């Protein structure tokens, strides 16, 4: 399982301006679903259901190793709908499960190596989501949905070998585990055509833990792990061709640890966050974004830290004028140290780009302290 990716928080103002992605939220169920009747549901609802099950397994040879690969993918979708007067209610429920497995086994017999290898990798994922839609023709509609996802991964490797030329044995064992969970919600209300409110949230958390040991006339090993969590949210107000405003925010943090035997320990932590506010009013558009990040790492007796704060903005009035500016403050340092230049270094930078009636101008400067430096960018 890799790192969790974060949603870029700058897209909601564009969604509010164009509102095209709302067509996906309000789209009706696919017409390819097969109509069925579910006797377990007492109400006279229209029920459509579809599902799929894909699986496969194969064995290949790669040199001295035999590789077995298999997968299983299962999906299910149920759509319940009901017409009540001039309104229609639709509930779309989806579930999916997937699993992949890979194993490697091999025996090597050569003049320089005699050994055996056994390794395996597995990944599993479960997803469940639901979208509820209420339409009141010809006025508007409302949508509420959520999605939950769970992931798990694992990897193991064991290899024992002997060099016949020297009689040196080697033993390597590795084991890694990972787990993650994510949940998201969204709500959209369209009381009138071209007018709407959108809200989205997302939370995720996960962790990984791995170890490795090696014997080859000596002994070495390491143990490492990472925990991470984050959230994001977005809100938008769409007033059609008149105006649109959106705001998003996202935060992400992680902590890491690694120990290497015989004795070498390191750890670290980090935090990031972003906030965006933007919108359009007639021919005028504007966007303001802030971003902060901080990192702290420890290795032996040394403590290394860094952080930055960035503020940027874009403003424009049609083809008449536009402006873009950015300012960044960053700080980095190492403790303990006898060099003042390494203990802390502060940098301030900024740029400003203006365009008026098609004529651009640029201004930029970078200022540093400890030691002091000043130059144009």
């Amino acid at each position: 399982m890799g790192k969790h990716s974060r949603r870029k928080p700058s897209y909601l103002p564009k969604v509010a301006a164009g509102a095209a992605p709302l067509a996906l939220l309000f789209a009706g169920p696919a017409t390819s679903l097969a109509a069925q009747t579910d006797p377990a549901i007492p109400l006279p609802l229209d029920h459509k259901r579809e599902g799929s099950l894909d699986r496969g397994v194969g064995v290949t040879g790669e040199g001295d190793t035999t590789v077995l690969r298999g997968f299983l993918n299962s999906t299910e979708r149920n759509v319940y709908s009901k017409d009540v007067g001039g309104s229609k209610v639709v509930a779309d429920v989806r579930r999916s499960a997937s699993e992949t497995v890979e194993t490697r086994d091999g025996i090597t017999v050569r003049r320089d190596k005699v050994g055996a290898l056994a390794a395996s990798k597995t990944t599993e994922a479960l997803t469940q989501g639901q979208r509820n839609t209420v339409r009141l023709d010809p006025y508007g509609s409302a949508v509420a949905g959520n999605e939950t996802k769970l992931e798990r991964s694992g990897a193991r490797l064991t290899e024992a070998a002997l060099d016949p030329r020297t009689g040196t044995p080697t033993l390597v064992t590795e084991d890694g585990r990972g787990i993650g969970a994510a949940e998201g919600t969204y709500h959209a209300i369209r009381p009138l055509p071209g007018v709407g409110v959108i809200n989205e949230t997302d939370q995720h958390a996960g962790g990984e833990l791995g170890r490795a040991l090696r014997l080859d006339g000596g002994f070495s090993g390491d143990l490492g792990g990472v925990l991470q969590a984050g959230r994001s949210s977005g809100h938008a107000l769409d007033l059609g061709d008149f105006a649109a405003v959106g705001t998003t925010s996202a935060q992400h943090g992680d902590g890491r640890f690694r120990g290497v035997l015989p004795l070498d320990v390191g750890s670290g932590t980090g935090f990031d966050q972003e906030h965006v506010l933007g919108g359009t009013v007639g021919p005028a558009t504007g966007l303001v974004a802030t971003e902060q990040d901080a990192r702290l790492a420890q290795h032996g007796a040394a403590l290394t830290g860094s952080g930055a704060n960035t503020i940027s903005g874009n403003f424009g009035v049609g083809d008449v004028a536009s402006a873009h500016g950015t300012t960044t403050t960053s700080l980095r340092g190492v403790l303990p140290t006898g060099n003042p230049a390494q203990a802390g270094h502060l940098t301030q930078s900024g740029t400003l780009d203006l365009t008026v009636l098609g004529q651009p101008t640029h201004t930029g400067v970078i200022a540093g302290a400890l030691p002091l430096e000043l130059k144009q960018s």
Side-chain angles (χ1 to χ4, degrees), residues 130-213:
Q130 181 170 342
R131 182 179 62 187
N132 302 315
T133 305
V134 179
R135 299 179 183 175
L136 186 61
D137 294 331
Y139 302 104
S141 59
V143 176
N146 63 81
E147 183 176 272
T148 303
K149 186 173 183 179
L150 301 175
E151 297 177 296
R152 186 176 68 174
S153 63
R156 287 184 176 181
L157 181 144
T158 302
E159 183 178 14
L162 177 68
D163 189 342
R165 299 169 302 179
T166 62
T168 303
T170 301
L171 175 64
V172 178
T173 66
E174 297 178 359
D175 191 357
R177 292 289 183 267
I179 190 170
E183 182 179 19
T185 64
Y186 59 83
H187 302 84
I189 299 177
R190 285 281 186 184
L192 296 173
V195 177
V197 178
I198 307 171
N199 294 285
E200 298 184 25
T201 65
D202 177 79
Q203 301 86 31
H204 64 266
E208 298 179 3
L209 181 64
R211 67 162 182 84
L213 297 175

Side-chain angles (χ1 to χ4, degrees), residues 100-119:
T100 62
V101 178
E102 177 182 301
T103 64
R104 294 175 176 267
D105 299 283
I107 296 178
T108 302
V109 179
R110 301 196 304 260
R111 288 184 298 177
D112 60 338
K113 180 180 180 180
V114 177
L117 168 71

Side-chain angles (χ1 to χ4, degrees), residues 209-222:
L209 181 64
R211 67 162 182 84
L213 297 175
R214 183 180 182 90
L215 297 172
D216 53 359
F219 171 76
S220 63
D222 66 77

Side-chain angles (χ1 to χ4, degrees), residues 21-374:
L22 288 180
L24 300 177
L25 298 178
F26 299 141
T31 58
S32 61
L33 299 181
Q36 298 185 10
T37 301
D38 193 339
I41 301 176
L43 297 178
L45 299 176
D46 294 329
H47 178 206
K48 300 178 181 180
R49 178 172 59 194
E50 70 174 3
S52 65
L53 179 63
D54 298 326
R55 58 189 182 274
V57 63
V59 180
T60 59
E62 299 180 4
D64 299 329
T65 306
T66 300
V67 183
L68 183 147
R69 295 183 177 93
F71 72 92
L72 175 65
N73 296 321
S74 174
T75 63
E76 180 184 2
R77 181 184 179 190
N78 289 275
V79 179
Y80 306 93
S81 61
K82 179 64 178 179
D83 292 322
V84 181
S87 64
K88 185 174 184 178
V89 180
V90 179
D92 191 344
V93 182
R94 305 188 184 206
R95 301 182 182 91
S96 66
S98 64
E99 181 176 6
T100 62
V101 178
E102 177 182 301
T103 64
R104 294 175 176 267
D105 299 283
I107 296 178
T108 302
V109 179
R110 301 196 304 260
R111 288 184 298 177
D112 60 338
K113 180 180 180 180
V114 177
L117 168 71
S120 66
K121 293 181 181 179
T122 61
T123 60
E124 298 174 340
L126 298 173
T127 303
Q128 176 170 311
Q130 181 170 342
R131 182 179 62 187
N132 302 315
T133 305
V134 179
R135 299 179 183 175
L136 186 61
D137 294 331
Y139 302 104
S141 59
V143 176
N146 63 81
E147 183 176 272
T148 303
K149 186 173 183 179
L150 301 175
E151 297 177 296
R152 186 176 68 174
S153 63
R156 287 184 176 181
L157 181 144
T158 302
E159 183 178 14
L162 177 68
D163 189 342
R165 299 169 302 179
T166 62
T168 303
T170 301
L171 175 64
V172 178
T173 66
E174 297 178 359
D175 191 357
R177 292 289 183 267
I179 190 170
E183 182 179 19
T185 64
Y186 59 83
H187 302 84
I189 299 177
R190 285 281 186 184
L192 296 173
V195 177
V197 178
I198 307 171
N199 294 285
E200 298 184 25
T201 65
D202 177 79
Q203 301 86 31
H204 64 266
E208 298 179 3
L209 181 64
R211 67 162 182 84
L213 297 175
R214 183 180 182 90
L215 297 172
D216 53 359
F219 171 76
S220 63
D222 66 77
L223 175 68
V226 57
L227 293 175
Q228 54 184 356
R231 62 164 299 278
S232 63
S233 63
H235 314 279
L237 173 62
D238 187 4
L239 300 180
D241 296 333
F242 175 71
V245 179
T247 178
T248 67
S249 66
Q251 292 82 32
H252 178 84
D254 62 72
R256 300 174 181 273
F257 167 82
R258 184 182 181 188
V260 180
L261 298 175
L263 185 60
D264 187 7
V265 179
S267 62
T269 184
F271 177 77
D272 305 271
Q273 69 173 358
E274 301 177 25
H275 303 277
V276 177
L277 173 64
T280 63
V281 178
T285 62
L287 180 72
V288 177
T290 67
E291 181 178 355
Q292 296 82 35
D293 67 83
R295 294 287 182 272
L296 189 64
Q298 177 268 331
H299 189 271
L303 188 64
T304 304
S306 63
N309 177 62
T310 300
I311 303 174
S312 62
N314 293 282
F315 302 94
V317 181
D319 297 330
V320 179
S322 65
H324 171 74
T326 301
T327 177
T328 301
T329 303
S330 61
L331 175 66
R332 66 181 187 273
V334 179
L335 291 175
T337 179
N339 187 347
Q342 291 183 343
H345 185 82
L346 178 66
T347 302
Q348 178 71 47
S349 63
T351 61
L352 178 62
D353 294 279
L354 296 175
T355 301
V356 179
L357 299 177
Q359 299 298 319
T361 60
H362 171 79
T363 302
V365 65
I366 299 176
L370 296 178
L372 177 65
E373 60 179 352
L374 179 66

